[in-house]
Amino acid sequence: MLTENQVREALKQVKYPGFSRDIISFGLIQSLEVHGDHVHVNLAVTTSDPKVPKTLKDNVEQVLGALPGMRAVHCHVAVTAPKGSTGTVGGEKQEGPLKNVKKVIAVASGKGGVGKSTVAVNLACALEQVLSEANGTSRVGLLDCDIYGPSVPLMMGVGQRPEIQNEKLIPPVNFGVSVMSMALLVDDNAPVVWRGPMVNQAIQQFAQHVEWGDLDVLVVDLPPGTGDAQLSLVQIFPVDGAVIVTTPQRAAVEVTCRGARMFEKVNVPLLGVVENMAYLETPAGRQAIFGEGGGKLAAAALETDVLGQVPLEQAVREGGDHGIPLTVSQPDSPTAQTFQTIARAVWKNLNAQA
């Protein structure tokens, strides 16, 4: 007699195509029923690649079919479209969890320590400025999906807990940007010790139980790597494009490219590469502290463009520490202008995907 635990253990052998993580830890199992020597498995995935559901179904049937005493495996894979806040299934329009959010951008890097959150914060503020200038008004959101090391609230000068209305969280707003982060929901200095499925649930809560309202764009700051948060994001959120962050040195570029290719596997377009800490301006001239050309190498490898080079600058660090991003405190500075140039390129590339 087969047990559910036996079946779940066997399913840990089934990896999501292109990833090293299994479908159990990624939370793709919607239901599992064991009736003697018959098993019914229902999966839910978000992808526009027709090969993914077929591969998952075949692998599930192969792995479970090899269990001793197994007579029949019934596997169904429910598929939803990953792009756009609404999609079409069977010719009918389907509303997603972010139906009032026009565009969703992921800011990502396979490498930690490249200043990804700094880029995400300043990009969000720069987008608010650029869109306000172009349209007279704008609504920008910033979601911190770094569950284990959230830093966006500090950098954005946001400390108050979200209000609750109609059982939904209302993100606090600063500098015209709505902000949500795990740091706003846990006690100060409390460690977040969660396993993969709990991370998936947290990101799902951010999508379904936060009242983002009408947004022109939601910028999502991802943790480094290609693990639970990354796949959960594209499974739950309608991600329209990804901005990849690297620093110039070779070690960062190689890891960054490996992480960026995850988006290719889940059909999320790359909007371009930001080379952070690209150089240091000194009285003696420009110094390449971390080397040169990393952004170009990453962009060439990923077949995309360099959106801009952000210098290693004390004012950027101070802005993050003091909760006033450089793009807000010194909008006319050369570095803030660089972020605005990046924001314009991102918005242009994002709308070119439509």
Side-chain angles (χ1 to χ4, degrees):
M1 178 75 69
L2 290 168
T3 67
E4 183 174 329
N5 284 339
Q6 286 177 306
V7 173
R8 287 189 177 275
E9 283 299 314
L11 287 174
K12 290 179 180 179
Q13 301 175 50
V14 180
K15 312 297 184 184
Y16 190 96
F19 290 80
S20 60
R21 299 297 299 273
D22 62 84
I23 60 175
I24 294 289
S25 64
F26 270 139
L28 302 184
I29 306 295
Q30 292 299 292
S31 66
L32 174 61
E33 297 180 6
V34 180
H35 302 287
D37 51 9
H38 287 63
V39 173
H40 295 262
V41 182
N42 290 319
L43 309 181
V45 299
T46 301
T47 181
S48 58
D49 186 349
K51 296 179 182 178
V52 169
K54 184 179 186 306
T55 299
L56 288 173
K57 177 178 171 64
D58 291 346
N59 290 347
V60 166
E61 291 176 348
Q62 180 180 358
V63 166
L64 296 185
L67 289 176
M70 181 69 72
R71 290 191 60 188
V73 177
H74 307 278
C75 179
H76 174 72
V77 183
V79 182
T80 55
K83 289 188 60 183
S85 53
T86 60
T88 300
V89 179
E92 297 184 3
K93 189 175 180 182
Q94 304 290 315
E95 292 191 342
L98 301 176
K99 61 182 179 180
N100 296 322
V101 178
K102 294 179 182 177
K103 299 290 183 182
V104 178
I105 301 170
V107 178
S109 177
K111 185 76 171 65
V114 298
K116 179 176 47 52
S117 294
T118 297
V119 170
V121 163
N122 282 280
L123 174 60
C125 292
L127 280 167
E128 194 281 328
Q129 295 166 351
V130 167
L131 294 179
S132 291
E133 181 182 316
N135 305 325
T137 183
S138 74
R139 285 293 309 276
V140 176
L142 177 58
L143 172 59
D144 184 0
C145 271
D146 193 339
I147 303 299
Y148 301 111
S151 57
V152 164
L154 170 66
M155 294 182 176
M156 286 294 294
V158 174
Q160 68 270 35
R161 291 187 183 275
E163 297 180 2
I164 299 177
Q165 294 181 8
N166 299 322
E167 299 184 353
K168 285 201 171 187
L169 297 170
I170 308 300
V173 179
N174 205 13
F175 313 122
V177 178
S178 302
V179 179
M180 181 55 65
S181 170
M182 181 58 65
L184 301 176
L185 304 177
V186 299
D187 294 333
D188 292 343
N189 301 317
V192 180
V193 186
W194 283 2
R195 300 191 69 180
M198 297 177 70
V199 174
N200 300 346
Q201 293 169 16
I203 294 175
Q204 189 166 5
Q205 295 296 313
F206 284 146
Q208 297 179 344
H209 298 289
V210 175
E211 184 51 70
W212 291 103
D214 296 322
L215 293 184
D216 294 310
V217 59
L218 176 65
V219 178
V220 183
D221 180 28
L222 284 173
T226 56
D228 296 296
Q230 285 76 8
L231 186 57
S232 295
L233 179 74
V234 298
Q235 288 286 310
I236 297 168
F237 278 63
V239 181
D240 296 285
V243 174
I244 307 303
V245 182
T246 187
T247 47
Q249 66 266 46
R250 181 177 176 181
V253 170
E254 291 183 354
V255 178
T256 295
C257 288
R258 286 200 295 271
R261 290 191 177 97
M262 180 275 296
F263 290 102
E264 297 175 355
K265 295 180 182 298
V266 291
N267 300 294
V268 173
L270 299 183
L271 302 174
V273 172
V274 173
E275 186 181 70
N276 194 29
M277 296 180 268
Y279 55 85
L280 175 68
E281 293 284 9
T282 72
R286 183 172 291 186
Q287 305 294 316
I289 302 297
F290 297 116
E292 295 180 281
K296 289 183 179 180
L297 285 174
L302 297 171
E303 299 181 348
T304 187
D305 301 320
V306 177
L307 298 169
Q309 293 178 296
V310 179
L312 181 63
E313 184 176 334
Q314 181 175 340
V316 175
R317 190 272 304 165
E318 290 176 343
D321 286 350
H322 298 157
I324 308 177
L326 181 71
T327 45
V328 174
S329 63
Q330 302 178 39
D332 297 325
S333 67
T335 301
Q337 292 293 310
T338 296
F339 276 116
Q340 291 180 14
T341 298
I342 292 170
R344 291 188 183 94
V346 165
W347 190 246
K348 178 182 177 182
N349 294 346
L350 190 63
N351 286 282
Q353 304 292 342

